[in-house]
Amino acid sequence: MGKSYPTINTERLFLRPFFVSDAKEVQILAGNKEVNRTLFTFDASKNGSAEQWIISQHDHFEKGEWVNLAITEGHLCILIGSVGLEIERKNNNAELVYWLGKDYWGQGYATEAARGVVSYGFDELKLHRIYARYFSRNLASGRVLEKLGMTHEGRLRDHLKKFGVYEDLEMAGLLEEEFRELQMGGKLYRL
């Protein structure tokens, strides 16, 4: 019998596992040109890619490699994006990954969902460090990570090629002890 996928409630959001039935909406949301430009490896614009991505998540979860959750809005459970952790147990760390449908940008949803998953990572998975990467041109992601209390750790110049263009990646990270200090200082709200 497999592990039980977590669900997380925040003030406005419900984070739950993805279902294959979400594939069409994922392809619409993540396949949007502006959203797709922010993704590193997943190209939702290709037919069938969203379904394959969802199916792969469950296998990776069973192996303890990923926890990826659908971000749904309010009690209506409208799918608006994705948030998760790509776990590397050898060093007890994980990469925070997320995306939102374009219509949901600028409303604090990414920060709220990321806070929920970061708390889960430190509290439930007992991680030592959570980090994130984002394209230098994606200033909104940088602001999300700053609100989480992450420290900017550097830039990887021309690190990834996206749509034929080399892109710089920014790196940010948060240690478990820093997360606890932020919680104690009231700079992170409890979920």
Side-chain angles (χ1 to χ4, degrees), residues 52-95:
Q52 287 303 109
W53 178 71
I54 290 168
I55 291 168
S56 73
Q57 290 176 33
H58 296 281
D59 185 45
H60 287 292
F61 177 75
E62 288 294 323
K63 293 178 182 176
E65 299 168 342
W66 286 3
V67 175
N68 201 52
L69 301 169
I71 303 171
T72 63
E73 183 181 29
H75 299 295
L76 300 176
C77 292
I78 298 167
L79 180 66
I80 66 171
S82 172
V83 64
L85 297 170
E86 294 184 12
I87 303 161
E88 202 249 301
R89 276 292 173 200
K90 180 181 176 186
N91 294 305
N92 209 24
N93 66 42
E95 180 175 7

Side-chain angles (χ1 to χ4, degrees), residues 7-188:
T7 58
I8 300 170
N9 286 296
T10 70
E11 185 178 336
R12 300 177 295 165
L13 305 172
F14 179 61
L15 311 180
R16 60 153 173 88
F18 276 97
F19 305 113
V20 174
S21 59
D22 293 321
K24 183 178 179 182
E25 192 64 20
V26 167
Q27 190 152 0
I28 291 167
L29 293 171
N32 172 284
K33 186 176 180 179
E34 289 182 71
V35 174
N36 204 8
R37 286 187 67 226
T38 67
L39 306 177
F40 294 147
T41 56
F42 172 47
D43 185 357
S45 66
K46 296 179 181 174
N47 284 336
S49 62
E51 186 173 289
Q52 287 303 109
W53 178 71
I54 290 168
I55 291 168
S56 73
Q57 290 176 33
H58 296 281
D59 185 45
H60 287 292
F61 177 75
E62 288 294 323
K63 293 178 182 176
E65 299 168 342
W66 286 3
V67 175
N68 201 52
L69 301 169
I71 303 171
T72 63
E73 183 181 29
H75 299 295
L76 300 176
C77 292
I78 298 167
L79 180 66
I80 66 171
S82 172
V83 64
L85 297 170
E86 294 184 12
I87 303 161
E88 202 249 301
R89 276 292 173 200
K90 180 181 176 186
N91 294 305
N92 209 24
N93 66 42
E95 180 175 7
L96 173 68
V97 292
Y98 57 90
W99 58 263
L100 284 177
K102 175 111 172 50
D103 291 343
Y104 304 97
W105 289 3
Q107 299 174 51
Y109 290 133
T111 303
E112 187 173 333
R115 276 189 179 127
V117 169
V118 166
S119 293
Y120 173 80
F122 288 127
D123 294 338
E124 302 299 323
L125 299 178
K126 307 299 182 202
L127 294 171
H128 175 69
R129 178 176 184 268
I130 296 176
Y131 67 96
R133 300 176 298 156
Y134 61 98
F135 291 121
S136 296
R137 64 177 156 71
N138 189 351
L139 300 177
S141 269
R143 286 191 297 274
V144 167
L145 302 177
E146 187 178 303
K147 290 176 192 173
L148 295 176
M150 288 195 176
T151 299
H152 184 262
E153 296 177 335
R155 174 177 292 153
L156 302 172
R157 298 176 304 137
D158 284 355
H159 191 70
L160 287 180
K161 194 174 186 181
K162 183 75 176 185
F163 300 128
V165 176
Y166 287 102
E167 298 271 5
D168 291 352
L169 285 185
E170 303 295 330
M171 299 285 297
L174 181 66
L175 301 176
E176 191 265 345
E177 65 189 44
E178 295 167 336
F179 173 75
R180 300 287 173 226
E181 287 174 15
L182 289 169
Q183 280 185 318
M184 296 299 290
K187 293 183 181 175
L188 288 178

